[in-house]
Structures are given as structure tokens and as C-alpha cells.
Amino acid sequence: MDEYAADSFVNRDDPIPTIILNTPSPGPQTPSRNRAENNDSYQSDTETPSRSSGLRGRFSALKEKARLQDHLVEKLLSQVVPLDDAELPKEENETPLPGRAAKPNFTLPTMSNNFRRFNARIGVVFVFQARVIRLLAWRRPTHTLSFLVVYTFVCLDPFLLPLLPLVVLLVNVLIPSFIARHPAAEFSLTNEQAIGYSAHGPPIAPAITVKPVKELSRDFFHNMRDLQNSMEDFSQMHDAIVKFVVPRTNFSDEPQSSALFVVLFAACLFMSIAANIMPWRLIFLVIGWGATCVGHPLIQKQLQTAHKKHVQPKEEKAMTWVEKWIERDVILDSAPETREVEIFELQRLSGAGEWEPWLFSASPYDPLSPARIASERPTGTRFFEDVQPPQGWEWSEKKWALDLWSREWVEERIITGVEIETEGERWVYDIYDEQAERIGVIDGSTLGKGKGVDAATKRLRPSWEEGEDGDGRRGEWRRRRWVRLVKRKFISRDAVP
């Protein structure tokens, strides 16, 4: 007697129904079949094994040829697509995932082998899916009502929820496995005999185990059929969700997305206040019963009739009211955001005593700037026309404007060692220190040395001074500030990387 009795999880019932939506899928679709066609396809599958020997022989003969074709296609793909992870671009500071290097790259033989192994073992998912569909479709009302009773107990007493997986493990796994090892005795009972089930004694039957289905078998093609339909279901559900959700949430229609944002924000505020006083047990109980009862065929017919009679005639009117509310109450600022940018015109005193245009820089290059202390040359452009707006912005005005309030921007930057011109061209000059023959902040401790004058009685000069054009000797550099408005540039969807 064998120690194990192998079995496979395969959905041998009707195929998993394909979801039918109003919007067609953009790709090639699997045509939906009615129940009679499903039964016919199932019968055709059952008739296939009668010719399985010839079919398997053909597959075996083509296996060697398929291997050669796989190698050729793999070589071709390796020349077109970078199959090695090292050739793919990597982001900066990207840390490799643990165990990632041990996984193989994409190859056709590995992909084909993994798909066959996956298809041979995916039957348990389709079996569970088929049972859920039968349960919610009221195929056996006693099963559905039993499910609702259990769901009601869990809703009324949520502490029973951790008990469910344990009960499922006992009832659906352990007890059937024990009964399979200790089956009931087979007797031809008479009226005088009444022998019940007894679990005494050693096991007399092999244990149940699970194995993958055989390749090219009827169960293997059943799994492929359900996998094909599941892929179509996922594609249609994905396209339907994207079509319904994305246009309302990606701000392509900004008033509609803004209204949705306001509604969700108000709901968040309401739930944060009233969540602790809402009867969640009753809510989940009503939702569960309602969702399950909707699957009943009679209720579905009633809902379809009510939808055609009451909802469809008023649906367009309701949508029109919502659009009018959005248009009336949601007010958006259509003007683009504007900012003020600045540029400093720098000029340098030549040996002949004339001011020479130097360049336009983003920094005023004041005496105590880091570049000035490090004896670095100022950076910028020599011509006004070469000054560009910041990235993502464009000019809002045609010309630059001279900043007449030179004193304000000097005080905002806490610039010292300069002389401010409050009239005329609004230049800000470096202060020239005659005692030390240097430009910058004047140190009062060095003013009286060598002349016999007490340093404590010497008045300190201010960190900046106000002057007019033609006042005395000035430093080597002067600058003035120009300003201009910029606005945000419209970025099209194609320009986004």
C-alpha cells in the first residue's frame, strides 16, 4: 500500500466567467461565451485525451526543434534588449536588494519552464475563485445562508475573527485528512445492523498529498484556460479603473479634481471626529448582507429593472447638476505664479580711474562675500541679453528695472564696508581705507597707530555710508541691482521625463 495518495487542485467545473464591461479592452480580447458554449468547450476538452497519445508524440518530436528556436530568439533578444542588470541604468545611492544578485536574468528557456511550473500549480487559486463565485451567486442557498450566519456572528462579536482561520484549518484540512487515513468501513447493512463511523485502529489508507498537474494533460489545459480568462479580467478591470479614477484625480480637469479634493478633505474631518461614535458593527453587517444579496438572480433582475426605470432617466440630470455646482462654487486662480528675480551689474575701477563694465552676477560681490575673501573672481555673464530665467520659469516682463531702493537690499543682506548712492544711478561702492590701503570693514584699533593719537578717542567709521557721485576716492568695485518678474512656465505632458 502506498504511503501517500497524490491529488491535484484543478477547477474541473465551469470555466471562470470573464468580466464584460461596456468599454472594450484596447488589446486583443478573449470572446465571452455563454453557459452552453462553456459546457461545449468543457466536453471538447474531455474528448481531447482520446487522441492524447498522438498529440504527445507530436509535442515530443517538436521539443528539440523548439529548444533550438528558443536559443536563436534568446540570442536575438540579447542584441536588442539589455538582459543583464549591470547594463541597465541605475540611480544614484541605489543599494542592491538582498539576494537580488542570485536571481537569474531573463531568458526564454527559464521563462518557459517557470510558466509551465506555475500553470501546473495555480489550480488552487482557481478552485478557490470558483467556490467564491458559486457562494456569492447563490448556487446552493444553504451554503450562502451558512456563510451569512457566520458573517453575522463575526460582525456582532469581532473578537471571533481570529478564530476563523483556526476553524477553517480544522474543518477543511485536518479533519478531511484524518478521515482519508481512517475511512469508514464498507458493510452491506441489514435492518438489524447499525454500525457507525469508528476512528479506532491504525490508519488503513494512504495520506492525501498535493502534486502539480501533469503537463499536456486535461487539467493542465484547464488551468491555462482559467489563467487566460483571469488575465483578460485583470486587463479589463485595470482599464476600467484607470478610465474612471485617473481623469478625476490627476487634475487634468482641475475644477473637478479640486471639488473631489474638497469633498474628501471634508470626509476626513468628519471621520476624525465621528469615527468613534459610528456603529461600525451594524455598518459592516448591512454592507455584507447587501453585497451578498445583490448576487441573488432574482434581486439582480429587480435591480436591473429599477436601474433602467428610475436611475438612467435621472443620471444625466444629476451629472449636469454636479457640473454646474463645480463650475459655480469651485473658483481657481488662472493667473500663473510670478516671482521677482534679481541680477547685479558689477563694474571695476581701472588704472586710469574709469569704471569699466565687468559682468552681471547673481551675487553682489561685496567686501565680505566668501568669493571676495577667497580672492576668487566673480562669476556671471558679460551681456544683459545672456541672463536667462530660472529653470521652469519664463519672463513676465520685457525689460529689466533698476532697483532704486539700494539701501534696503544692502540692509537686508547685512552688507558692510560699502558706500550707498541714494540718488542718481544707485551704485553701491566699496569703501576705501586710506590708512591700511585696503578695501573693506575698517578696524578702529588700527586708526591711531604711528601718529601718537589714542585709539580710544578715535571715532569709528560706520560699516556703510551714504554719498553722492563724485565724493572722494572709492574702492575697486561697485554694483547695482536690477529686478525683473518671471512666471511659471507651462509644462506639457510630453515634456515631463
Side-chain angles (χ1 to χ4, degrees):
M1 182 178 62
D2 296 336
E3 190 66 21
Y4 297 98
D7 195 7
S8 303
F9 284 102
V10 180
N11 177 29
R12 298 185 178 92
D13 297 334
D14 295 333
I16 301 298
T18 304
I19 299 176
I20 301 176
L21 301 177
N22 294 330
T23 57
S25 178
Q29 300 180 0
T30 302
S32 59
R33 301 177 176 86
N34 55 23
R35 184 63 58 186
E37 292 175 345
N38 289 335
N39 293 334
D40 295 341
S41 64
Y42 180 82
Q43 293 174 3
S44 63
D45 289 339
T46 57
E47 295 173 359
T48 302
S50 61
R51 298 173 296 179
S52 60
S53 58
L55 183 61
R56 291 186 181 182
R58 294 175 184 176
F59 275 110
S60 299
L62 294 176
K63 185 175 293 185
E64 295 296 330
K65 184 178 180 180
R67 289 179 181 177
L68 179 60
Q69 293 177 352
D70 290 343
H71 285 295
L72 291 177
V73 176
E74 181 181 356
K75 292 295 184 181
L76 179 61
L77 287 178
S78 63
Q79 300 296 329
V80 179
V81 183
L83 300 180
D84 191 0
D85 291 341
E87 299 178 6
L88 297 176
K90 295 183 179 180
E91 298 180 357
E92 296 181 359
N93 301 327
E94 181 181 2
T95 56
L97 297 176
R100 179 67 176 175
K103 294 189 176 184
N105 298 323
F106 172 76
T107 57
L108 286 179
T110 305
M111 182 66 183
S112 176
N113 181 47
N114 290 344
F115 176 77
R116 292 196 302 268
R117 296 176 64 243
F118 173 80
N119 187 73
R121 293 162 175 80
I122 194 61
V124 61
V125 177
F126 299 135
V127 170
F128 176 77
Q129 184 179 359
R131 291 182 179 179
V132 171
I133 292 175
R134 289 199 302 269
L135 181 68
L136 299 180
W138 295 76
R139 298 287 180 81
R140 294 186 179 180
T142 55
H143 291 182
T144 306
L145 291 176
S146 301
F147 164 74
L148 289 176
V149 169
V150 174
Y151 180 79
T152 302
F153 277 112
V154 172
C155 289
L156 297 179
D157 189 4
F159 295 102
L160 295 176
L161 187 60
L163 182 63
L164 284 181
L166 303 178
V167 174
V168 171
L169 183 63
L170 286 174
V171 175
N172 291 349
V173 178
L174 293 179
I175 293 179
S177 299
F178 181 82
I179 295 176
R181 289 280 281 168
H182 301 268
E186 297 181 0
F187 292 98
S188 57
L189 300 178
T190 61
N191 295 332
E192 292 81 8
Q193 293 176 327
I195 302 178
Y197 174 78
S198 176
H200 297 287
I204 58 176
I208 297 177
T209 184
V210 178
K211 70 172 184 177
V213 299
K214 295 181 180 180
E215 294 186 11
L216 306 180
S217 63
R218 183 178 62 183
D219 295 337
F220 188 82
F221 286 102
H222 282 175
N223 287 346
M224 292 190 67
R225 174 201 63 191
D226 294 335
L227 183 60
Q228 156 195 290
N229 296 337
S230 298
M231 289 189 294
E232 175 65 17
D233 292 344
F234 177 81
S235 300
Q236 291 200 22
M237 291 292 294
H238 176 272
D239 295 343
I241 293 174
V242 168
K243 184 178 179 180
F244 180 79
V245 176
V246 173
R248 293 167 175 80
T249 57
N250 65 353
F251 285 86
S252 58
D253 186 356
E254 196 164 355
Q256 187 179 22
S257 299
S258 300
L260 179 62
F261 177 85
V262 172
V263 171
L264 292 178
F265 184 77
C268 291
L269 292 180
F270 174 78
M271 294 301 296
S272 63
I273 298 173
N276 59 337
I277 60 175
M278 296 185 67
W280 291 110
R281 298 181 181 181
L282 180 61
I283 291 175
F284 280 100
L285 181 62
V286 173
I287 292 176
W289 273 81
T292 306
C293 292
V294 165
H296 197 278
L298 295 179
I299 298 180
Q300 283 187 352
K301 292 181 180 179
Q302 295 294 330
L303 290 177
Q304 291 177 359
T305 304
H307 182 270
K308 293 180 180 179
K309 184 177 180 181
H310 301 286
V311 178
Q312 283 185 352
K314 299 181 180 179
E315 184 177 1
E316 185 177 356
K317 183 178 179 180
M319 293 300 298
T320 304
W321 180 85
V322 172
E323 292 176 357
K324 289 183 178 179
W325 173 77
I326 294 175
E327 183 180 357
R328 182 181 65 253
D329 292 352
V330 179
I331 302 175
L332 301 176
D333 187 10
S334 58
E337 180 186 3
T338 58
R339 297 286 182 88
E340 185 182 71
V341 295
E342 62 182 7
I343 196 71
F344 292 93
E345 180 185 0
L346 301 182
Q347 292 187 359
R348 188 176 185 181
L349 187 63
S350 64
E354 297 180 356
W355 292 102
E356 297 179 350
W358 197 255
L359 51 75
F360 295 90
S361 175
S363 171
Y365 200 63
D366 58 280
L368 294 182
S369 62
R372 191 78 172 272
I373 295 175
S375 300
E376 297 178 357
R377 298 175 65 87
T379 58
T381 180
R382 293 186 59 85
F383 303 102
F384 232 150
E385 294 77 9
D386 296 336
V387 179
Q388 300 296 327
Q391 186 177 3
W393 300 75
E394 60 183 0
W395 299 121
S396 179
E397 296 179 339
K398 295 183 178 181
K399 296 182 179 180
W400 290 87
L402 178 63
D403 187 3
L404 302 178
W405 306 95
S406 53
R407 178 175 176 177
E408 277 69 13
W409 67 262
V410 170
E411 291 180 347
E412 287 177 359
R413 289 171 169 79
I414 317 178
I415 298 176
T416 59
V418 295
E419 177 184 333
I420 302 174
E421 190 177 69
T422 56
E423 296 181 358
E425 298 181 350
R426 303 304 196 273
W427 291 103
V428 177
Y429 298 86
D430 291 344
I431 294 179
Y432 184 80
D433 186 3
E434 297 180 355
Q435 286 80 4
E437 294 185 356
R438 57 189 171 84
I439 303 169
V441 180
I442 302 172
D443 189 0
S445 62
T446 62
L447 293 177
K449 291 185 179 180
K451 297 184 179 181
V453 182
D454 189 3
T457 61
K458 195 72 175 180
R459 294 180 59 189
L460 298 178
R461 298 175 61 185
S463 59
W464 56 267
E465 298 179 353
E466 293 184 2
E468 297 180 358
D469 194 11
D471 291 355
R473 187 176 181 185
R474 295 188 173 97
E476 185 182 7
W477 293 92
R478 71 174 183 177
R479 76 282 298 157
R480 58 181 175 180
R481 182 172 178 260
W482 296 83
V483 295
R484 192 174 179 180
L485 291 180
V486 293
K487 61 182 179 180
R488 292 295 298 269
K489 184 188 300 183
F490 175 76
I491 303 176
S492 61
R493 182 173 300 180
D494 299 335
V496 178

